[in-house]
Amino acid sequence: MKVTRRDFLKVTGATVASFAVVDLGFDMAATASGLKGVRTKNVKPVPTICPFCGCGCGLVVYAKDGAPAEGPQLLSVQGDPDNPINRGAACSKGSALMNLREIYSPETGEQEINPKRIAKPRYRAPGSTKWEEKDWDWMLDEIAKRVKETRDKYFEHKDENGIIVNRCEALASLGGAALDNEEVHLIAKMNRALGMTYIEHQARI
Ligand code: SF4
């Protein structure tokens, strides 16, 4: 059989591409169609983002009637095959995410809300060794009050050489992997308006 140079390149190119996909460890079977094939009555897959580390992997939560409300309702949490970051995979922490909310009680053998889960904001006053439960309104007012006080006290219009800097080095911001592009855009604008120069993201530390 006569093989032209074009045929040779076509065959070897396709082979190299196949090896590249296999070498990168992509599971081509884990696709969105796999998710859509799940048919369990009253169970809806809800996509979310893993809260643990800076990778920001996509996960799918399977809960009775969609998003869980009161009481134990989760069936499983798995890597989201539609998410371009993790493509259906999840590390041991992400795979165990369900236990953040619900666990099996060793006493009763029943699924129950994890008693160690912190579901309300907690505040520890300066110098105190005790945490106090606070509501969100109190927390947000307190954060806003302290940010304003700090900016008013430490904002610099000019540095020691008379150069205009308009900065506040007493405030810093740490972003998280669960923030989306629009949220990050708004937070960065707010940080700059406050004069912040120390702006970081959890994925870089
Ligand atoms: S699944 Fe693992 S690697 Fe991915 S964001 Fe969660 S903790 Fe990080």
Side-chain angles (χ1 to χ4, degrees):
M1 183 179 81
K2 188 172 176 237
V3 179
T4 65
R5 194 163 63 161
R6 181 181 289 267
D7 291 338
F8 177 77
L9 287 174
K10 263 165 62 182
V11 171
T12 52
T15 308
V16 168
S18 309
F19 281 144
V21 168
V22 171
D23 284 350
L24 287 173
F26 294 152
D27 179 7
M28 303 308 279
T31 60
S33 56
L35 261 190
K36 286 174 190 134
V38 174
R39 293 279 184 273
T40 305
K41 198 178 171 196
N42 299 332
V43 173
K44 194 174 138 202
V46 178
T48 187
I49 305 288
C50 175
F52 288 130
C53 88
C55 294
C57 295
L59 302 172
V60 184
V61 174
Y62 292 88
K64 193 176 158 217
D65 299 326
E70 297 299 317
Q73 294 167 341
L74 294 185
L75 292 179
S76 78
V77 179
Q78 296 173 16
D80 183 353
D82 271 347
N83 191 292
I85 293 175
N86 54 315
R87 297 182 181 223
C91 77
S92 52
K93 281 206 304 180
S95 301
L97 184 73
M98 184 171 154
N99 299 137
L100 202 65
R101 178 186 155 91
E102 296 173 21
I103 54 167
Y104 277 96
S105 161
E107 284 85 35
T108 63
E110 299 287 325
Q111 193 168 332
E112 62 179 39
I113 295 291
N114 186 344
K116 291 187 177 165
R117 179 173 180 243
I118 295 173
K120 290 191 178 153
R122 288 189 180 186
Y123 170 72
R124 197 179 69 181
S128 170
T129 55
K130 291 197 182 114
W131 291 96
E132 303 164 49
E133 258 186 19
K134 298 283 187 188
D135 61 42
W136 277 110
D137 284 343
W138 186 93
M139 276 294 186
L140 293 172
D141 285 351
E142 194 64 22
I143 292 168
K145 191 177 82 190
R146 291 186 189 201
V147 167
K148 175 145 185 359
E149 281 171 4
T150 307
R151 185 179 187 269
D152 289 350
K153 190 169 173 188
Y154 294 102
F155 189 82
E156 293 174 81
H157 176 50
K158 290 184 180 176
D159 69 5
E160 63 276 12
N161 301 314
I163 295 171
I164 294 176
V165 288
N166 286 337
R167 69 187 175 202
C168 177
E169 294 185 305
L171 290 171
S173 169
L174 180 64
L179 298 169
D180 63 30
N181 284 350
E182 290 74 19
E183 287 164 339
V184 170
H185 179 79
L186 291 173
I187 290 170
K189 272 187 176 293
M190 184 187 72
N191 291 346
R192 301 289 181 204
L194 289 167
M196 251 185 246
T197 54
Y198 302 121
I199 299 173
E200 259 302 349
H201 186 274
Q202 75 178 109
R204 295 208 319 156
I205 56 178

